[in-house]
């Protein structure tokens, strides 16, 4: 990233959205060109992958290259026993998801370790992403630490709750510093029915929890870095599909029925549910009618999504100074 003397600090939150997450990278490029440097980073689902890459030091151009090189068809990894329809049904019944999700977890391990040039271990943990001498906390709760540069959202459906990683992993008997970033991402990208959930064994209670996509409860956690009073720097959110009309889904079989459920769950979060304050700090990225689960996406669509993200971010930045003043005014009024 080219950083000038006009460096601007901000926290950043990336929404989830499957393969549409490529648009997040283009938006990131526009902010890099305007000398932004990210302090705390959060992501959900596909946004958790982009968030982790940014946290270890990848710039937008490097992430774009990785996205172009990634074989998206391998993301839908099945077991060796693979008979069309039958294997899908069996995986849904017995594994709670069609695809294993191992490919994406291993890919993330590889690219994170490469960037940090780890020599004594293969997997990056949250302990590798601690901000020195940072003593702040999140959500007015001393449990959640700003010292972790990266936070990832997932959903524990066994206990019916959102989990904020790495801190909430302590409830399962695991030290947050030791949690592997790729495992947290694997939890966060586990789109229900499509990917098999991560099963966490609670060391303290010996009970199992099924963990899936954070978007089940909060696909756009732009609130995570909010503080009481005046923030040290703004939080900016990247939201996918902001300019796209909700599409009609054609349902003819159990697979596209399942797909339609997921698309509706992750995409049909109407903008009316976002507070006016959050609109002002949200980059709404036009995802060009690409579906969350379009795993057959080609290089042209990848480039188009990237360019769309960059264009939308440029438009956002034109009015950001004015919008942020408006945000600060609304925020101060909300505390009166």
């Amino acid at each position: 990233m080219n950083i000038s003397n006009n460096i601007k600090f901000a926290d950043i939150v990336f929404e989830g959205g499957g393969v549409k997450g490529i648009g997040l990278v283009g938006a990131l490029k526009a902010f890099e060109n305007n000398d932004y440097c990210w302090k705390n980073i959060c992501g959900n689902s596909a946004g958790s992958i982009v968030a982790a890459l940014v946290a270890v030091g990848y710039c937008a151009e490097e992430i774009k290259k990785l996205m172009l090189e990634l074989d998206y068809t391998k993301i839908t990894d099945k077991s060796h026993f693979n008979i069309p329809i039958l294997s899908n049904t069996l995986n849904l019944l017995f594994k709670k998801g069609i695809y294993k999700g191992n490919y994406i977890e291993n890919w993330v391990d590889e690219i994170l370790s490469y960037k940090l040039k780890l020599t004594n271990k293969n997997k990056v943990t949250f302990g590798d992403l601690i901000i020195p001498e940072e003593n702040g906390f999140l959500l007015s709760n001393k449990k959640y630490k700003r010292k972790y540069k990266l936070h990832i959202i997932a959903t524990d459906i066994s206990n019916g709750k959102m989990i904020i990683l790495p801190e909430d992993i302590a409830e399962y008997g695991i030290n947050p510093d030791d949690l592997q970033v790729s495992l947290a991402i694997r939890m966060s990208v586990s789109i229900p029915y499509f990917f098999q959930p991560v099963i966490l064994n609670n060391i303290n209670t010996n009970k199992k929890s099924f963990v899936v996509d954070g978007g089940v409860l909060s696909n756009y956690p732009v609130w995570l870095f909010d503080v009481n009073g005046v923030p040290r720097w703004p939080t900016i959110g990247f939201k996918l599909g902001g300019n796209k009309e909700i599409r009609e889904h054609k349902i003819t079989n159990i697979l596209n029925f399942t797909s339609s459920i997921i698309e509706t769950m992750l995409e049909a979060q109407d903008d009316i549910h976002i507070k006016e304050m959050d609109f002002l700090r949200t980059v709404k990225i036009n995802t060009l009618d690409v579906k969350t689960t379009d795993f057959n996406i080609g290089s042209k669509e990848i480039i188009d999504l990237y360019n769309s993200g960059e264009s939308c971010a440029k438009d956002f930045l034109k009015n950001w100074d004015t919008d942020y003043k408006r945000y600060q005014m609304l925020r101060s009024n909300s505390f009166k």
Side-chain angles (χ1 to χ4, degrees):
M1 185 188 303
N2 295 322
I3 298 177
S4 72
N5 293 328
N6 297 318
I7 184 170
K8 307 176 187 76
F9 291 111
D11 293 332
I12 188 168
V13 175
F14 296 103
E15 186 187 35
V19 296
K20 297 184 300 181
I22 298 159
L24 302 170
V25 186
L28 192 65
K29 175 64 174 175
F31 278 83
E32 289 179 0
N33 288 344
N34 280 268
D35 303 314
Y36 274 82
C37 184
W38 310 112
K39 299 292 283 187
N40 288 94
I41 304 165
C42 174
N44 173 68
S45 195
S48 72
I49 299 175
V50 178
L53 295 180
V54 174
V56 300
Y58 281 101
C59 70
E61 284 292 339
E62 291 174 317
I63 301 175
K64 176 184 178 183
K65 185 173 184 292
L66 290 170
M67 295 298 181
L68 284 167
E69 292 174 347
L70 177 63
D71 186 346
Y72 290 85
T73 61
K74 290 184 178 179
I75 293 176
T76 52
D77 49 356
K78 297 183 181 180
S79 61
H80 295 298
F81 174 72
N82 184 15
I83 299 176
I85 301 178
L86 177 61
S87 61
N88 289 347
T89 303
L90 292 175
N91 283 336
L92 277 171
L93 287 174
F94 297 106
K95 298 292 186 178
K96 313 296 189 295
I98 297 173
Y99 309 117
K100 295 187 293 183
N102 294 345
Y103 177 79
I104 197 68
E105 183 177 352
N106 293 334
W107 178 76
V108 167
D109 270 331
E110 180 182 343
I111 58 179
L112 294 184
S113 297
Y114 175 81
K115 192 64 175 179
L116 291 185
K117 295 180 170 57
L118 297 184
T119 56
N120 60 337
K121 60 177 183 176
N122 294 322
K123 297 180 184 295
V124 174
T125 66
F126 282 87
D128 296 312
L129 300 178
I130 289 176
I131 304 171
E133 301 180 5
E134 173 58 75
N135 298 315
F137 51 89
L138 308 176
L139 304 174
S140 300
N141 187 333
K142 292 183 179 179
K143 173 183 179 181
Y144 300 104
K145 314 291 186 182
R146 275 192 172 270
K147 72 174 186 178
Y148 293 110
K149 188 172 184 68
L150 174 68
H151 282 84
I152 289 173
I153 307 296
T155 304
D156 180 343
I157 57 174
S158 297
N159 293 297
K161 65 180 183 180
M162 179 191 310
I163 53 177
I164 300 172
L165 301 169
E167 290 90 342
D168 282 341
I169 203 68
E171 297 178 10
Y172 303 85
I174 300 171
N175 185 334
D177 283 6
D178 296 333
L179 177 63
Q180 296 166 6
V181 174
S182 61
L183 178 58
I185 290 172
R186 172 66 182 84
M187 297 179 202
S188 189
V189 302
S190 297
I191 300 173
Y193 304 115
F194 275 84
F195 293 106
Q196 295 164 17
V198 172
I199 301 175
L200 282 180
N201 291 304
N202 192 313
I203 296 172
N204 300 322
T205 65
N206 203 32
K207 292 182 178 180
K208 292 182 179 179
S209 289
F210 289 82
V211 182
V212 300
D213 195 311
V216 170
L217 292 180
S218 182
N219 203 34
Y220 184 53
V222 71
W223 40 263
L224 184 65
F225 300 127
D226 286 347
V227 298
N228 294 325
V230 180
R232 288 181 282 178
W233 43 72
T235 295
I236 299 172
F238 288 7
K239 192 175 192 309
L240 296 163
N243 299 321
K244 180 179 72 64
E245 295 293 331
I246 299 302
R247 226 182 6 195
E248 182 178 343
H249 298 283
K250 185 176 181 180
I251 300 172
T252 59
N253 56 52
I254 187 61
L255 290 181
N256 55 39
F257 174 72
T258 300
S259 175
S260 297
I261 292 174
I262 302 306
E263 294 287 333
T264 302
M265 180 186 73
L266 296 181
E267 295 182 1
Q269 298 188 29
D270 199 338
D271 284 345
I272 197 170
H273 298 301
I274 302 177
K275 296 186 221 177
E276 182 182 359
M277 284 193 302
D278 290 339
F279 265 124
L280 293 170
R281 57 177 176 173
T282 296
V283 181
K284 296 182 285 292
I285 300 168
N286 186 345
T287 52
L288 309 177
D289 210 32
V290 174
K291 291 176 60 178
T292 299
T293 53
D294 277 345
F295 297 115
N296 290 318
I297 190 169
S299 57
K300 182 183 183 302
E301 290 98 340
I302 292 172
I303 295 296
D304 288 345
L305 269 175
Y306 179 93
N307 290 339
S308 178
E310 186 173 6
S311 175
C312 292
K314 286 179 179 177
D315 289 341
F316 171 89
L317 285 164
K318 290 175 184 176
N319 301 311
W320 173 231
D321 288 342
T322 301
D323 286 345
Y324 188 54
K325 288 176 183 177
R326 171 73 175 158
Y327 167 82
Q328 289 174 309
M329 184 185 71
L330 290 172
R331 182 176 176 79
S332 63
N333 290 338
S334 69
F335 281 103
K336 290 180 180 178

